[in-house]
Amino acid sequence: VEQQNDMLFGLRFGYDFDYYWGAEWRLGWADPVVQLDSEPQPFEGDFFVTDVSLMYYPWGDTKVRPYFQAGMGATLLDSMYLDNHPQQATLLSTPFGMGVVVAPTRWLSFRLEVVDYLAWGSNGVDTMNNVLFAGGMEWRMGARPNSYWPWRSSRTML
């Protein structure tokens, strides 16, 4: 069986509950092309991942924010054949990796990361390492922090 590399598309939802700690929930999907030795035509497979990761930011809440992440989730595969019959598998996965977030403004950030989504094998499926090199943008939402300058304490920061 040969599988080509493919783009992984997804969404993330996160919450920073401290200057140094946060959590993110991720949904991702891809349609890699799979080629079997026994089949003349390649076919599109389905690959879906979801997980929750704990994020640690050693520099705190700064404009350049490196981080480490580790989590738990599930990997759903719909691109396997066993005895020439299509099969589906759901595997436990543990993502871990590191990256950096750069925030030029308060509401917009850019992210680069390297993460290994380790999917633990079961039911005839081998353990898989899916290494992801990702880049993206974040739209940060939330209330503006209050400015605690001695006068006009009701003022908010930009």
Side-chain angles (χ1 to χ4, degrees), residues 62-115:
T62 60
K63 291 238 183 225
V64 177
R65 202 172 186 201
Y67 62 88
F68 300 97
Q69 77 176 59
M72 295 287 284
T75 300
L76 288 76
L77 300 170
D78 193 16
S79 58
M80 306 174 1
Y81 268 69
L82 183 61
D83 299 328
N84 289 332
H85 291 81
Q87 302 289 318
Q88 294 180 339
T90 302
L91 306 174
L92 175 70
S93 60
T94 53
F96 57 92
M98 64 179 139
V100 64
V101 175
V102 179
T105 68
R106 189 184 177 305
W107 58 272
L108 179 67
S109 299
F110 297 98
R111 160 190 296 236
L112 290 172
E113 69 180 9
V114 177
V115 180

Side-chain angles (χ1 to χ4, degrees), residues 1-4 6 8 26 28-34 43-50 73-82 85-93 117-131:
V1 176
E2 292 182 16
Q3 179 175 306
Q4 296 179 357
D6 196 23
L8 180 76
R26 181 181 65 100
W29 59 91
D31 296 320
V33 175
V34 178
F43 65 94
E44 278 195 14
D46 290 323
F47 180 78
F48 179 79
V49 291
T50 182
T75 300
L76 288 76
L77 300 170
D78 193 16
S79 58
M80 306 174 1
Y81 268 69
L82 183 61
H85 291 81
Q87 302 289 318
Q88 294 180 339
T90 302
L91 306 174
L92 175 70
S93 60
Y117 291 98
L118 185 62
W120 298 94
S122 68
N123 297 332
V125 179
D126 292 336
T127 298
M128 296 184 299
N129 283 311
N130 293 303
V131 179

Side-chain angles (χ1 to χ4, degrees), residues 9-75:
F9 298 95
L11 296 170
R12 290 179 191 245
F13 300 96
Y15 180 74
D16 293 340
F17 43 86
D18 188 25
Y19 286 115
Y20 300 99
W21 294 96
E24 288 188 355
W25 173 44
R26 181 181 65 100
L27 300 167
W29 59 91
D31 296 320
V33 175
V34 178
Q35 176 67 54
L36 297 173
D37 290 337
S38 61
E39 297 288 325
Q41 290 287 70
F43 65 94
E44 278 195 14
D46 290 323
F47 180 78
F48 179 79
V49 291
T50 182
D51 56 66
V52 175
S53 291
L54 185 64
M55 314 293 283
Y56 175 65
Y57 304 98
W59 290 0
D61 196 12
T62 60
K63 291 238 183 225
V64 177
R65 202 172 186 201
Y67 62 88
F68 300 97
Q69 77 176 59
M72 295 287 284
T75 300

